[in-house]
Amino acid sequence: FVSQGPAPAYPQRMGYLTIDVTDFLTEGENTLSAHTYYQGLINRVWVSGDVRHGFLCDLEADGEVIVSSDESFLTHPHTGYSEIGVTGYDTQFLEDYDSAAPEVGFERSDFDDRYWNHASKREYVDYGLFPQETKPLVFESISPAEVSARKLADGKTALFVDFGKCFVGYLLLRGKGTAGDRVIIRCAQELKEEQEQTIRYEMRCNCRYEEGWILSGKEDELDWFDYKAFRYAQLILPEGCEITDIALLARHYPFTLNASLKSAYRGDPELEKIWELCLHTQKYGTQEVLQDCMEREKGFYVGDGCYTSLTHLLLTGDDSLVRKLIDDAFFSSFITPGTMTCLDCSFMQEIAEFPLILISLILWHYRITGDQGYLRQNYTGVKNLLDAYTQSYLHDGLISGLDKWCVVEWPDNFRDGYDVDLTAGKVCEEVHVVINAYYLEAIRCANEISHILGEPLYQEEQPLLQKFYGAFYDSERHLFRDSTTSGHVSYVGNLFPFAFGLIPDGEFEQNMMEMIRKRGIESLSLFGTFPLLGALEGRGEEDLMRSLLQSPGAWLKMLSQGATTTFESWGKESKWNTSLFHMTFSYAAVFLAEKDGLRLYKQKPLSEKE
């Protein structure tokens, strides 16, 4: 096995991998083998359902192409794989793998392919091929932390396997049994019953990880095609079956840690555990793109991705995944000018806040890397994106009439009664505070980018700021209302103006600091927690930020519930379909790491000029 790829992309901008295969070649005859896959499901994973499927390669030696994929290549369906259902959000097919299938071992040079057909050349191809700028995945064999056998109630033998932590990848098994016998394989992220070693393979995230392995009667190896996110496995063995080797082949983006925990936090066992939790999540969760979770959706979400790619950049110093997100988000404007919410896939979804967070990420990337050339490269995209919002949704200085879903906070039980109809799929006619705060923050970032590049101001901020205050600010309570038609005051409705420096007066600032001390971060979730911590760090409120990071109902709650990777919510029961390997909350590492004075949110009113 050499590698896999390319990374998900839109067909017009498909990346190709360049791989040095020198060390894989041997003197004499060599065989080049590839296993390609057409899934056909409309989902968040990749572009599919479009009948685009094929294989292209060149083998180059000393500057000369010596092998090129053409009609001399041989091809055959792999009959060893049978689908036994779909799991997740139509994310992947579950597999029955048959070790007796005639295609098993097709990658070997001595394989008998005399009855295979020659490949067919596709005459009309609409791909645009470009060198893939991100790196190929790396693969790492993980040995079990525990393997034990026990008898089930029906007399069958089951092997319980614990790999110690959650990983993303494939179960590797070697064994022997009677031809035609089927091993039942179950995988999970947690135990259902600790003492009985019963794994929860019907998982909280609505994935059911149960598959089969059909034995040939010889020494067999399980060869899964698609990957899962799991820690535990349970193997229900037929009579006489012996498993001789077990491992987990973890797949992840290359990860070299180039950051350290803040010196003030070292020696604090709680903060060190949170740091290690985030590091493991980032290292073993990051794939060819930054998915939110690696089981239910496997989706390249822009909003989550802005925070997790920033975390990856700060931890590794490698900005390739940040660039992948920015480039692909702007390219998705061929579908809609406001860009897509979930990238490089066939699933149509738009969330209003996510493209606005993207503009912040572009500025953060510049502050970290100092790459003004890349900032200028994205400047037109920033303006076009904001133009799309301004032309479609800006009415009398305020954003409204959104035909995109406003998420505000997720899951929705963390919205603190936010008094706006945020039903997905319904036009949000109400003029509400959170989306307007995001819009103002995006305008501020665009103006700062203009200033850095020596370009004219994108848009005057002061008129928008006054409209914002006039529409939402309650000068008697010194807090922001949720919308222009409601008197309700919520935590999230005030958090975002505070985080983005939209401070109308000292009384609001004082009220918000009191609210934060009282409500903390346990009342927030995925999208409110990051700007809150960023705002406190920007204000130099280190003690308060540290106390929030150590809140018993946040990351420490995950750890108390056995987390080895960050959860989708603060606890297993906080959401109806909680993923226990979800990347977003790994962004705690941003606020735990030394950052050489980097501040993400500038804490001053928009009315103050640079």
Side-chain angles (χ1 to χ4, degrees):
F1 175 75
V2 177
S3 189
Q4 70 175 57
Y10 292 110
Q12 306 94 314
R13 196 173 176 275
M14 180 62 65
Y16 63 83
L17 290 173
T18 301
I19 302 168
D20 185 350
V21 297
T22 304
D23 292 341
F24 295 94
L25 296 172
T26 60
E27 187 173 348
E29 184 177 88
N30 290 269
T31 298
L32 173 64
S33 303
H35 189 169
T36 70
Y37 182 45
Y38 175 70
Q39 191 191 62
L41 300 173
I42 305 298
N43 58 27
R44 298 161 173 83
V45 186
W46 41 42
V47 177
S48 193
D50 56 4
V51 202
R52 290 185 176 99
H53 179 220
F55 178 66
L56 286 170
C57 76
D58 292 323
L59 182 64
E60 183 181 289
D62 299 325
E64 179 183 354
V65 175
I66 59 173
V67 175
S68 189
S69 51
D70 57 21
E71 289 152 304
S72 69
F73 274 52
L74 300 176
T75 182
H76 198 282
H78 200 310
T79 61
Y81 296 88
S82 300
E83 65 96 357
I84 53 172
V86 178
T87 196
Y89 289 170
D90 284 345
T91 303
Q92 71 180 80
F93 289 106
L94 297 173
E95 304 169 9
D96 247 2
Y97 179 72
D98 187 353
S99 286
E103 295 78 29
V104 172
F106 76 95
E107 69 278 3
R108 297 194 304 263
S109 293
D110 60 354
F111 180 78
D112 184 0
D113 57 12
R114 75 183 80 176
Y115 299 113
W116 284 32
N117 295 320
H118 286 276
S120 299
K121 181 180 178 181
R122 187 159 187 162
E123 295 291 341
Y124 305 103
V125 179
D126 61 352
Y127 291 96
L129 292 176
F130 299 87
Q132 181 172 305
E133 295 181 357
T134 53
K135 303 167 187 174
L137 294 179
V138 295
F139 296 82
E140 182 180 342
S141 182
I142 307 295
S143 298
E146 178 186 352
V147 179
S148 57
R150 66 184 183 90
K151 288 287 185 180
L152 301 178
D154 58 5
K156 291 183 178 178
T157 300
L159 284 182
F160 168 83
V161 186
D162 178 5
F163 290 99
K165 294 182 178 182
C166 272
F167 296 92
V168 178
Y170 317 86
L171 189 63
L172 301 179
L173 300 176
R174 184 178 291 113
K176 186 175 182 179
T178 303
D181 276 356
R182 184 173 184 265
V183 178
I184 298 173
I185 303 171
R186 295 169 175 166
C187 294
Q189 297 173 339
E190 62 178 318
L191 297 179
K192 189 174 182 181
E193 297 178 29
E194 189 79 33
Q195 291 181 339
E196 296 297 322
Q197 296 180 332
T198 302
I199 69 171
R200 186 168 178 159
Y201 65 95
E202 294 184 289
M203 302 198 301
R204 295 176 188 272
C205 61
N206 291 344
C207 288
R208 188 177 190 273
Y209 281 173
E210 182 179 69
E211 297 171 292
W213 177 27
I214 302 168
L215 304 175
S216 72
K218 303 175 183 177
E219 286 285 344
D220 293 327
E221 293 185 13
L222 177 66
D223 188 15
W224 270 350
F225 188 90
D226 217 338
Y227 64 89
K228 299 174 184 65
F230 65 102
R231 170 179 174 173
Y232 300 100
Q234 185 183 55
L235 314 176
I236 302 176
L237 306 177
E239 190 68 31
C241 176
E242 181 183 4
I243 302 297
T244 56
D245 194 23
I246 303 173
L248 189 158
L249 185 64
R251 44 171 274 164
H252 60 87
Y253 201 73
F255 184 93
T256 301
L257 182 62
N258 282 308
S260 60
L261 184 64
K262 287 181 180 179
S263 57
Y265 295 171
R266 294 171 201 163
D268 185 313
E270 291 182 341
L271 292 174
E272 288 183 347
K273 286 178 183 177
I274 297 171
W275 173 252
E276 291 300 326
L277 179 74
C278 295
L279 293 186
H280 182 84
T281 302
Q282 277 280 327
K283 177 175 180 177
Y284 289 102
T286 303
Q287 302 299 305
E288 293 163 309
V289 297
L290 272 154
Q291 301 167 343
D292 58 344
C293 61
M294 288 64 67
E295 357 85 345
R296 189 182 63 230
E297 281 115 337
K298 298 185 177 182
F300 189 13
Y301 274 91
V302 171
D304 307 59
C306 285
Y307 299 137
T308 49
S309 64
L310 174 70
T311 308
H312 192 271
L313 167 58
L314 285 170
L315 290 176
T316 65
D318 178 1
D319 71 342
S320 57
L321 290 176
V322 173
R323 288 172 177 260
K324 170 75 171 168
L325 188 151
I326 295 170
D327 294 348
D328 290 4
F330 279 141
F331 189 78
S332 76
S333 63
F334 81 91
I335 303 171
T336 178
T339 71
M340 295 302 296
T341 280
C342 199
L343 304 177
D344 300 332
C345 68
S346 298
F347 184 76
M348 185 74 180
Q349 187 178 30
E350 296 175 78
I351 295 178
E353 296 93 338
F354 286 9
L356 303 176
I357 302 172
L358 178 73
I359 296 174
S360 296
L361 177 66
I362 292 166
L363 184 57
W364 295 336
H365 175 269
Y366 168 75
R367 289 178 185 167
I368 295 167
T369 65
D371 190 340
Q372 192 169 126
Y374 189 62
L375 186 68
R376 182 169 293 281
Q377 178 183 320
N378 288 306
Y379 185 55
T380 299
V382 168
K383 293 190 294 182
N384 289 344
L385 178 54
L386 284 172
D387 286 349
Y389 273 72
T390 301
Q391 293 163 12
S392 298
Y393 309 120
L394 191 68
H395 307 289
D396 193 25
L398 294 167
I399 296 291
S400 64
L402 283 148
D403 54 358
K404 306 171 186 283
W405 180 31
C406 293
V407 69
V408 175
E409 184 59 288
W410 195 252
D412 55 8
N413 49 301
F414 286 87
R415 289 179 182 155
D416 191 29
Y418 192 71
D419 192 18
V420 178
D421 185 355
L422 301 176
T423 305
K426 178 181 177 182
V427 174
C428 184
E429 298 288 359
E430 294 172 82
V431 185
H432 65 100
V433 66
V434 170
I435 190 61
N436 277 277
Y438 269 111
Y439 179 72
L440 280 167
E441 172 67 2
I443 294 293
R444 186 194 67 78
C445 289
N447 283 340
E448 185 171 340
I449 293 170
S450 300
H451 176 73
I452 293 166
L453 297 176
E455 299 288 343
L457 198 70
Y458 172 74
Q459 188 172 351
E460 286 290 342
E461 302 163 4
Q462 192 65 21
L464 294 173
L465 183 63
Q466 294 308 315
K467 283 284 185 181
F468 180 79
Y469 289 157
F472 304 112
Y473 191 59
D474 185 328
S475 57
E476 293 183 1
R477 288 184 286 180
H478 295 285
L479 289 168
F480 287 94
R481 298 180 294 267
D482 292 345
S483 75
T484 55
T485 57
S486 174
H488 185 260
V489 168
S490 64
Y491 191 20
V492 290
N494 284 274
L495 166 68
F496 289 100
F498 173 80
F500 298 153
L502 309 177
I503 313 293
D505 53 45
E507 288 86 348
F508 168 73
E509 188 167 20
Q510 182 178 347
N511 287 342
M512 275 308 299
M513 292 301 291
E514 290 176 0
M515 190 181 296
I516 292 166
R517 290 187 177 96
K518 179 180 179 181
R519 302 289 299 274
I521 58 174
E522 297 173 17
S523 301
L524 301 169
S525 191
L526 296 171
F527 301 111
T529 300
F530 187 94
L532 170 58
L533 292 173
L536 293 177
E537 187 173 56
R539 290 169 170 271
E541 294 281 353
E542 285 286 337
D543 291 342
L544 180 54
M545 185 181 73
R546 179 172 181 163
S547 71
L548 295 181
L549 287 166
Q550 291 183 279
S551 170
W555 285 276
L556 292 180
K557 184 174 181 179
M558 298 181 201
L559 288 165
S560 73
Q561 295 182 352
T564 62
T565 50
T566 50
F567 294 169
E568 186 179 9
S569 197
W570 296 128
K572 293 180 178 180
E573 306 293 342
S574 300
K575 192 172 183 283
W576 64 94
N577 59 351
T578 308
S579 166
L580 303 187
F581 198 160
H582 196 275
M583 296 291 292
T584 309
F585 272 133
S586 67
Y587 63 52
V590 171
F591 307 102
L592 292 167
E594 297 280 12
K595 295 196 293 297
D596 296 326
L598 172 70
R599 294 293 182 262
L600 301 176
Y601 296 105
K602 291 191 173 181
Q603 293 301 293
K604 62 181 181 180
L606 279 173
S607 56
E608 292 185 19
K609 302 302 182 185
E610 291 290 335

